[in-house]
């Protein structure tokens, strides 16, 4: 029987652990958004609004990629995690009765049935989107591991997406969704802007610190 060398077995175990972690993170993320939706507590509903936002789903794939040293693993696992989130999201909505239709609109007493076509259509469509966008967001997360100037555009992607999305929601949806939604999106946008400012400041300060020894050395070398 052929044995797998020890140095080859460790990467396999590491990949298995990373895969389970990505699947678990995606499943938990996908379940939370619809699970928290009917809760009447304002703070919990605000969390639901954040988790249901597009930038949050992008952040899931981004963070999975950020946690991986390999670009290939970042792309694959980000897509896997995002598809797991989509599947868990729609299964939870199905369990909550979001895909129920009346058997006979004229006679509600006959009960309801599952609208399988709607469930499958939504699930498959968003799984395809996750398969396409997941690798891109995973690679961006992996490239964001660069702490220098080159990593700044990748690090700032999720906050920028949050600013853009919340700005659109505040302009279009806030008047219809109420004060809680407007406050949630306003706070989210403010936090995202602050994160961008911190990222930029970190890079600027880092460049200045790295340039100081060179300047001092130049002065000592001169006449």
């Amino acid at each position: 029987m052929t044995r797998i060398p020890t140095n080859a077995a460790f990467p396999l175990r590491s990949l298995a652990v990373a895969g389970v972690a990505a699947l678990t993170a995606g499943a938990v993320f996908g379940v939370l958004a619809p699970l928290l939706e009917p809760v009447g507590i304002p703070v919990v509903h605000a969390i639901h609004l954040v988790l249901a936002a597009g930038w949050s789903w992008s952040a899931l794939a981004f963070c999975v990629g950020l946690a991986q040293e390999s670009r290939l693993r970042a792309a694959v696992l980000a897509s896997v995690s995002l598809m797991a989130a989509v599947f868990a999201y729609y299964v939870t909505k199905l369990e909550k009765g979001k895909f129920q239709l009346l058997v006979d609109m004229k006679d509600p007493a006959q009960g309801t049935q599952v609208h399988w076509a709607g469930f499958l259509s939504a699930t498959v469509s968003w799984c395809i989107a996750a398969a396409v966008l997941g690798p891109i967001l995973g690679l961006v997360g992996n490239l964001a591991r660069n702490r220098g100037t080159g990593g700044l555009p990748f690090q700032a992607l999720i906050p920028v997406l949050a600013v853009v999305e919340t700005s659109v929601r505040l302009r279009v949806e806030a008047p219809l969704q109420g004060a809680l939604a407007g406050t949630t999106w306003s706070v989210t946008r403010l936090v995202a802007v602050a994160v961008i400012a911190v990222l930029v400041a970190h890079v600027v300060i880092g460049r200045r610190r790295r340039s100081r020894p060179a300047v001092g050395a130049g002065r000592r070398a001169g006449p």
Side-chain angles (χ1 to χ4, degrees), residues 23-51:
L23 283 170
T24 303
V28 172
F29 185 93
V31 167
L32 281 178
L35 198 63
L36 298 179
E37 183 177 4
V39 179
I41 303 174
V43 174
V44 176
H45 188 67
I47 295 173
H48 155 70
L49 291 174
V50 171
L51 293 177

Side-chain angles (χ1 to χ4, degrees), residues 93-149:
K93 289 181 75 71
L94 177 66
E95 192 274 333
K96 291 292 182 180
K98 296 297 184 179
F99 291 94
Q100 296 291 329
L101 290 176
L102 289 173
V103 176
D104 187 351
M105 297 294 291
K106 297 180 180 180
D107 186 11
Q110 292 189 16
T112 62
Q113 64 180 8
V114 177
H115 185 212
W116 289 108
F119 168 76
L120 293 174
S121 175
T123 304
V124 171
S125 297
W126 283 108
C127 277
I128 292 174
V132 173
L133 297 176
I136 298 174
L137 293 166
L139 283 174
V140 170
N142 180 267
L143 293 171
R145 294 168 65 92
N146 181 357
R147 298 183 179 181
T149 306

